[in-house]
Amino acid sequence: MALPSLPRRSWCLRLALLVALSALAVPAALGASSSPARAGSCPWMDASKSASERARELVAAMTLDDKIQLVHGDGNIFTYYGVAGHVPGNPALCLPDLLLNDAGAGIGDGQILTTAFPAPIAQAASWDRNLQAELGQAVGSEAWLKGIDVWLAPDVNIARVPLNGRNFEAFGEDPYLAGQTAAAEIAAVQQEHVIATVKHYALNNQETNRDTASSDVAERPLHEIYMPAFETAVEKAHAGSVMCSYNRIDSIYACEQPFMLRQVLKSEFAFPGFVMSDWGATHSTAPAAKAGLDMEMWDDTYFGEPLKEAVQSGEVPMARLDDMVFRIVRSMFAVGVFDDPPPAEPAAYLADVSTPEHVLLARRTAEEGSVLLKNEEATLPLGGTGKTIAVIGTAAGPAGAAAVYGGAGSSHVPLVGTVAGVVSPLQGIQQTALGYGDRVVYADGSAISDAVAAASAADVAVVFANDAEGEGSDRQDLSLGGACIFLECTKTPVDQDELIASVAAANPHTVVVLQTGGPVLMPWLRSVKSVLETWYPGQEDGNAVAALLFGEVDPSGKLPETFPRSERDLPTQSARQYPGVDGHVTYSEGLLVGYRWYDRKRIEPLFPFGHGLSYTTFRYSNLSATPRGDGSVDLRFTLTNTGSRPGAEVAQVYVHEPGATGEPPRQLKGFAKVLIQPGQSRLVRLTLPPRAFAFWDTSQTAHGWTIAEGDYSISVGSSSRDLRLRADVRLAEEGLGP
Ligand code: BGC
């Protein structure tokens, strides 16, 4: 659950409160969560009719009070414990309660006995749609078993500023990757009869002044960078709900922004579902209702009595209220909330809904989402016999203690009471090392001299370092700075950069494992042999990291976000761009977000978008690009595993627009993750749709997508800066409409 603008400390207090409540083992009235639906008295319970038909029938049977009750939360989250929001049902109408709950790495808001999956940034870094669908299915089923009807995720806000405190909660800097990841998860969650909520709509790209700042962006980057992930989530995966954000857009609060809600979302994207406000992000009654907000969360300040009066006075047409209600119940019918309601017993709260399969999935996601950034002299995998491995750093977590498994804020997945708990990196490494006859020594790094002593006496030093990201504030800079353990964010006197540099000076075989929610600077990079980024890896942290370090699993993640060399290189070059001046954040970098900026400005990043190494090697060959009659282009190429281990490669497809349109130098438009055995080849087939070649044309009176005539280069490769093959296609001019 969440209140707007809570400082981090409040999150800690809230979590402590939830933990205390859970210890009392007094599950609240989850039992009231779902009213059993009876077909006889409610003709709309006939599942043979379409969702829209059923919704129309239900709306027609509702009184004004019935309708008003459905368009806001009742603020009753302390009775309905373990939820972020609650909308009461109406048994006479066979209308179940709605319980709403966060978040992207699992189930949040104080629910216990669930699986803590890796953070969304790690999910995106896997570039594996099948895995993401499995994860959606697992989270959806856990949510459903907990009595939850609406999942408040995924977050598809683009990583415009890597300092954003919620960087870990979303899918990185590229609209296509974010959209694909979201679509895979949403479709799977909704299969489990839980409505997914794509958020935060829109341009909610920083925590600094998030409740007041206006994000001011031009029409073209709005459509090309910030909207596609929402569009894909809505059009491809049929997300039932969209959450509008705290910030303003062009000076108007996002939850009462008619252009964004009515024009873009409901008209251009033809979104048939409902828009709910972020918690406390509703600021008016008639303006918000008329602009397209359908549900106020978390209480009734504007959409309770004031909305009823506005409808009675005619200020808000009854037809608009009907539309709001229709959209809510239509999504409920479409996803199965009426037909397959979650279990209603109070025992749901105490039910252990994590399964061994889900824990294994959490581990696989952490393994596939980790990115091997650097690996010189084949320092990794470890796997020697009889070696001494020095594990260093508080982030490695002393045995039994919680490691840095997730970020802070509303998306936090508590592990209270979970039997398995978090496997710390130290535990995972100790256990795995046994199988190799290796010896593990540990120094927490709180005294650098102890860490140096341990490192110099060891064959290999593995240093763990973390940052601490959370909702409510941005990171002050991109340095690792002092170590801090999750929720204990007071920094220790140890500077982790200094710790790594000192260890590297003491041991020539130093490996760094980063557990960060986003990019960090690495002043020590040259002096270490290997760097593995594991993000916030969820509860299977130690098992996953050990499997990667020892080579039991081949690293196959790729960066969903550019790692810069310096903060001076960031696309946001002025205070007007970030954090904003006089309440306005000016998106003057336009289309040049993430790698688009580094490529156009020819700035060498520390690690480019799409980068990620493997313990094996891949060869790309024989690219062909064949335009089809319908404007799409078929691609074929061959991938060969030229190394000696099985491994998965993420083959990335970038399109280079012909010069005249002003598009960034190259943009991701397709990818495939392919597992290949050593010495084997796989033929990869992809189809790029016409939209892959279009830009948002503001010169037309209609404003829409246009393909400019010209020669388009299509590159395929292992990262945005490691392109191996290229083919050209000539395309004719074509308007694709909005
Ligand atoms: C967050 C949302 C979250 C909501 C409910 C808000 O503070 O911005 O992402 O879904 O709380 O917990």
Side-chain angles (χ1 to χ4, degrees):
M1 80 191 76
L3 291 172
S5 296
L6 285 174
R8 179 168 305 191
R9 181 170 290 277
S10 304
W11 288 115
C12 304
L13 289 174
R14 183 173 296 216
L15 187 80
L17 176 69
L18 293 174
V19 170
L21 279 171
S22 76
L24 294 175
V26 186
L30 270 175
S33 69
S34 303
S35 316
R38 292 175 305 274
S41 52
C42 307
W44 45 88
M45 291 309 295
D46 176 357
S48 69
K49 297 176 192 165
S50 74
S52 297
E53 223 175 317
R54 298 170 74 182
R56 258 192 307 276
E57 284 179 9
L58 172 50
V59 175
M62 292 170 97
T63 64
L64 175 60
D65 285 330
D66 293 337
K67 293 173 190 171
I68 292 291
Q69 181 176 306
L70 193 60
V71 296
H72 60 80
D74 64 0
N76 200 1
I77 59 170
F78 291 106
T79 308
Y80 292 86
Y81 174 58
V83 300
H86 172 249
V87 181
N90 188 335
L93 295 170
C94 304
L95 184 73
D97 289 37
L98 280 182
L99 294 182
L100 297 78
N101 194 298
D102 296 282
I107 319 292
D109 305 315
Q111 285 288 350
I112 56 171
L113 300 163
T114 64
T115 311
F117 291 95
I121 190 80
Q123 299 164 21
S126 75
W127 298 59
D128 185 337
R129 299 176 182 93
N130 295 332
L131 181 82
Q132 290 151 359
E134 279 186 61
L135 189 134
Q137 191 267 326
V139 172
S141 73
E142 291 196 9
W144 188 86
L145 285 168
K146 285 291 185 183
I148 291 152
D149 309 282
V150 183
W151 186 54
L152 302 172
D155 175 345
V156 298
N157 292 127
I158 295 298
R160 171 180 183 256
V161 185
L163 295 160
N164 179 7
R166 301 187 83 171
N167 196 94
F168 69 96
E169 265 191 71
F171 299 138
E173 72 190 22
D174 183 78
Y176 180 75
L177 178 63
Q180 293 295 300
T181 309
E185 295 188 2
I186 290 168
V189 166
Q190 296 196 156
Q191 285 286 322
E192 299 299 312
H193 313 300
V194 174
I195 296 172
T197 309
V198 57
K199 69 187 188 182
H200 307 82
Y201 190 83
L203 302 165
N204 182 203
N205 304 113
Q206 63 188 60
E207 288 299 276
T208 307
N209 302 327
R210 75 170 182 181
D211 297 323
T212 52
S214 174
S215 302
D216 300 339
V217 68
E219 186 187 332
R220 185 166 169 188
L222 175 74
H223 281 87
E224 292 191 21
I225 304 290
Y226 298 101
M227 287 295 99
F230 286 103
E231 187 181 3
T232 308
V234 163
E235 292 186 359
K236 184 174 165 195
H238 309 293
S241 154
V242 169
M243 183 190 290
C244 53
S245 52
Y246 287 126
N247 55 289
R248 301 173 196 249
I249 299 170
D250 268 341
S251 304
I252 304 172
Y253 280 116
C255 292
E256 54 186 61
Q257 233 294 1
F259 172 74
M260 293 298 294
L261 298 177
R262 274 210 318 263
Q263 168 68 24
V264 178
L265 182 64
K266 292 184 174 176
S267 170
E268 283 174 23
F269 302 166
F271 174 58
F274 65 100
V275 177
M276 78 168 80
S277 72
D278 200 341
W279 270 228
T282 310
H283 292 277
S284 66
T285 301
K290 288 187 188 168
L293 178 65
D294 301 306
M295 181 187 275
E296 176 184 9
M297 268 294 146
W298 62 339
D299 64 10
D300 61 354
T301 308
Y302 296 101
F303 277 19
E305 202 56 33
L307 181 60
K308 182 175 171 185
E309 284 164 18
V311 171
Q312 282 168 330
S313 74
E315 195 188 2
V316 172
M318 179 62 93
R320 173 64 191 120
L321 179 62
D322 285 349
D323 177 50
M324 293 158 72
V325 175
F326 173 84
R327 288 170 170 277
I328 295 165
V329 295
R330 200 210 69 91
S331 285
M332 292 169 67
F333 282 120
V335 172
V337 174
F338 281 88
D339 302 330
D340 294 282
E345 5 26 310
Y349 176 71
L350 287 179
D352 186 347
V353 298
S354 183
T355 65
E357 291 76 24
H358 292 181
V359 173
L360 194 61
L361 181 62
R363 173 174 169 166
R364 278 174 47 219
T365 309
E367 289 168 353
E368 275 207 51
S370 294
V371 184
L372 183 60
L373 295 173
K374 172 176 179 175
N375 192 22
E376 276 179 9
E377 297 167 23
T379 303
L380 292 178
L382 298 175
T385 41
K387 285 190 176 162
T388 299
I389 302 169
V391 175
I392 292 162
T394 48
V404 194
Y405 72 92
S410 59
S411 71
H412 176 60
V413 179
L415 276 177
V416 183
T418 299
V419 183
V422 178
V423 180
S424 79
L426 182 60
Q427 287 172 313
I429 292 171
Q430 277 170 331
Q431 178 142 8
T432 308
L434 284 177
Y436 294 87
D438 289 340
R439 198 169 76 90
V440 177
V441 295
Y442 176 64
D444 71 5
S446 55
I448 292 187
S449 53
D450 292 349
V452 166
S456 23
D459 297 297
V460 184
V462 185
V463 192
F464 284 78
N466 70 289
D467 73 347
E469 291 183 27
E471 182 179 341
S473 57
D474 287 340
R475 282 192 285 166
Q476 284 171 350
D477 55 45
L478 292 179
S479 73
L480 281 166
C484 66
I485 288 290
F486 181 62
L487 290 185
E488 288 293 332
C489 291
T490 46
K491 300 195 170 189
T492 71
V494 177
D495 180 322
Q496 294 180 102
D497 287 325
E498 197 186 323
L499 174 67
I500 296 169
S502 307
V503 169
N507 190 314
H509 305 289
T510 294
V511 174
V512 175
V513 179
L514 294 170
Q515 304 207 300
T516 67
V520 286
L521 305 178
M522 303 180 203
W524 33 260
L525 184 62
R526 278 161 182 249
S527 61
V528 305
K529 287 286 185 294
S530 307
V531 182
L532 179 70
E533 171 63 82
T534 65
W535 318 105
Y536 299 146
Q539 71 179 71
E540 279 291 285
D541 184 355
N543 286 335
V545 87
L548 289 161
L549 290 176
F550 284 86
E552 295 184 351
V553 168
D554 188 57
S556 63
K558 301 276 187 175
L559 288 182
E561 201 169 340
T562 307
F563 277 46
R565 281 182 188 278
S566 141
E567 278 155 28
R568 286 189 304 278
D569 292 344
L570 294 178
T572 45
Q573 292 272 303
S574 68
R576 284 193 181 283
Q577 289 170 283
Y578 176 80
V581 172
D582 296 335
H584 287 268
V585 181
T586 310
Y587 285 41
S588 53
E589 70 285 355
L591 300 172
L592 301 182
V593 175
Y595 64 92
R596 292 161 167 81
W597 161 263
Y598 295 86
D599 290 348
R600 169 65 63 78
K601 299 291 177 188
R602 298 180 192 280
I603 298 170
E604 194 62 34
L606 194 61
F607 295 108
F609 176 82
H611 171 73
L613 303 172
S614 154
Y615 295 145
T616 186
T617 48
F618 299 96
R619 190 178 61 230
Y620 286 71
S621 57
N622 298 332
L623 173 64
S624 71
T626 317
R628 293 201 313 204
D630 64 358
S632 57
V633 174
D634 280 339
L635 299 181
R636 282 166 162 242
F637 55 93
T638 304
L639 260 181
T640 306
N641 182 343
T642 48
S644 54
R645 301 165 158 264
E649 169 70 330
V650 178
Q652 302 159 42
V653 179
Y654 294 86
V655 170
H656 316 243
E657 232 86 7
T661 58
E663 286 291 89
R666 65 182 79 96
Q667 307 195 73
L668 181 77
K669 298 294 176 179
F671 61 85
K673 188 163 193 173
V674 190
L675 176 67
I676 315 179
Q677 297 303 316
Q680 303 284 305
S681 293
R682 293 269 303 268
L683 177 67
V684 182
R685 291 196 176 118
L686 287 170
T687 299
L688 298 181
R691 177 69 91 73
F693 303 95
F695 70 102
W696 183 264
D697 190 351
T698 52
S699 67
Q700 296 177 335
T701 40
H703 292 261
W705 297 98
T706 295
I707 299 176
E709 180 181 343
D711 293 320
Y712 289 73
S713 292
I714 300 168
S715 298
V716 179
S718 190
S719 89
S720 64
R721 297 250 174 155
D722 182 6
L723 300 170
R724 312 274 183 90
L725 303 170
R726 180 172 170 151
D728 291 346
V729 289
R730 184 159 187 84
L731 299 177
E733 183 171 336
E734 195 188 342
L736 303 178

